[in-house]
Amino acid sequence: GHMLLNFSANLLGLDNAATPFGLKAMESLQTLNPDKERASNSQIMFLCLHAGGLTLIPVSIIAIRASMGSATPTDIFLPCMIATFAATMAAMIIVSIYQKINLFQPAVIAYVGGISVIVGLLVVYLVNLTKEGLDNFSMLLSNGIILLIFFAIVLGAVYKKINVFDAFIDGAKEGFWTCVKIIPYLVGMLIAISLLRTSGVFDVLIDGMKWVAAVVGFDTRFVDGLPTALIKPLSGSGARGMMVDTMQTFGADSFQGRLAAVLQGSSDTTFYVIAVYFGAVGIKNTRYTVTAMLLADLVGIITSVILAYIFFA
């Protein structure tokens, strides 16, 4: 249930809302973990799927693009959805290889195949919509799902005879102490991010990548959108700031601005998630989590760049 709520929040592009559900999921999985300081297979699979950041409706990104004066703020809808789907599938496959999970099982094929078909049909439907139709569809679907979740919670509480307000208060109290537990890990990550940003490391990386792209003969425009992808594994808010900065520099509807928006929606905050989620439950040995999550991020970045050239170049 906690995992489903976490994935649902990501599907709606509500990445901040996904964190408390993810922390609850990790705490639940930790009760099943025989070695309390070593990440279990289930915890690694959950975190890697979470890092894939499967997003159906990038609500916050569309809102930022609209506020930045984009003429078509929803035109990143399809590329974001396809890129996050590719990253999530890559995460599942990579972890399955590590854990020797046979994906060619009827149940797995049915679930993955069913989701793939739904995403494919949705893409086909959305491609044939006008800009106005796409805007209306995004708004109706996102608002409708959020409203559905609200009513589902209330109806579920009535069915189970649970006092919703008392349950909310208990959850808020527990959430407060969870926040207290993750503060040290959060502060450590924020300091590391600040040092990297102010030291000029990202500028050196971007200049170097642009030089390599020019030498090879590639179009160098995609490099200007990459700061968002470079900082996304460290901080969601930092990556959002990079995306906004790219839009301000090149324009919300520029190739670089659109690519930054797609990169923002293509994956999750790998190191932030590992530090906060594992730190909250006392996990010290993360095993291959970082490698698997970074590989999934790389698939998302490559897919995003390719899709940006297909849709916007």
Side-chain angles (χ1 to χ4, degrees):
H2 296 140
M3 290 185 197
L4 186 59
L5 286 168
N6 174 265
F7 293 143
S8 298
N10 274 331
L11 280 172
L12 297 173
L14 306 173
D15 46 358
N16 290 330
T19 301
F21 297 134
L23 290 172
K24 288 296 295 182
M26 285 297 288
E27 289 172 6
S28 298
L29 290 171
Q30 184 69 346
T31 63
L32 306 173
N33 187 3
D35 187 344
K36 300 303 180 185
E37 293 189 355
R38 186 172 185 266
S40 68
N41 285 350
S42 299
Q43 288 173 321
I44 293 173
M45 178 64 87
F46 166 63
L47 270 197
C48 289
L49 289 176
H50 173 74
L54 182 59
T55 305
L56 182 64
I57 307 168
V59 177
S60 58
I61 299 174
I62 291 173
I64 290 172
R65 282 176 51 77
S67 68
M68 297 286 291
S70 171
T72 53
T74 58
D75 60 4
I76 50 90
F77 186 99
L78 277 177
C80 272
M81 185 171 65
I82 297 170
T84 56
F85 183 71
T88 303
M89 290 298 100
M92 184 182 69
I93 292 169
I94 291 166
V95 176
S96 296
I97 292 171
Y98 270 108
Q99 298 183 5
K100 296 181 173 60
I101 297 173
N102 179 18
L103 293 177
F104 297 100
Q105 301 178 48
V108 177
I109 292 174
Y111 273 111
V112 176
I115 294 171
S116 301
V117 169
I118 291 171
V119 171
L121 291 174
L122 191 58
V123 168
V124 172
Y125 172 70
L126 294 174
V127 165
N128 295 316
L129 290 179
T130 61
K131 174 192 173 296
E132 184 180 356
L134 188 57
D135 288 340
N136 291 334
F137 179 84
S138 302
M139 182 177 64
L140 286 172
L141 186 60
S142 59
N143 292 341
I145 293 176
I146 292 171
L147 192 62
L148 178 63
I149 291 173
F150 174 77
F151 279 114
I153 291 171
V154 174
L155 291 174
V158 171
Y159 175 73
K160 292 284 188 179
K161 297 180 180 178
I162 296 172
N163 186 313
V164 178
F165 183 75
D166 288 345
F168 172 79
I169 296 300
D170 291 338
K173 289 178 182 177
E174 192 173 341
F176 175 79
W177 291 113
T178 299
C179 290
V180 171
K181 284 195 298 183
I182 69 173
I183 281 174
Y185 305 96
L186 193 57
V187 170
M189 282 301 303
L190 292 175
I191 291 172
I193 293 163
S194 177
L195 288 172
L196 285 172
R197 292 185 68 178
T198 56
S199 65
V201 170
F202 285 113
D203 293 333
V204 173
L205 281 173
I206 293 301
D207 290 341
M209 293 172 70
K210 188 171 286 190
W211 180 80
V212 171
V215 169
V216 176
F218 289 164
D219 178 22
T220 59
R221 288 182 300 166
F222 78 93
V223 180
D224 294 315
L226 290 182
T228 302
L230 291 176
I231 202 169
K232 187 64 188 283
L234 298 169
S235 166
S237 57
R240 194 174 292 112
M242 288 290 188
M243 177 185 70
V244 171
D245 182 66
T246 302
M247 290 181 185
Q248 287 175 337
T249 304
F250 298 97
D253 287 333
S254 64
F255 175 82
Q256 294 92 332
R258 284 166 164 159
L259 173 59
V262 176
L263 288 168
Q264 172 69 8
S266 67
S267 61
D268 212 320
T269 49
T270 296
F271 291 107
Y272 169 85
V273 166
I274 290 174
V276 172
Y277 283 46
F278 279 145
V281 294
I283 294 291
K284 295 180 180 178
N285 183 0
T286 62
R287 299 167 67 192
Y288 49 83
T289 309
V290 174
T291 303
M293 290 172 75
L294 287 179
L295 286 173
D297 286 345
L298 182 61
V299 170
I301 291 169
I302 294 172
T303 305
S304 297
V305 173
I306 293 171
L307 290 170
Y309 276 102
I310 292 173
F311 281 88
F312 309 127

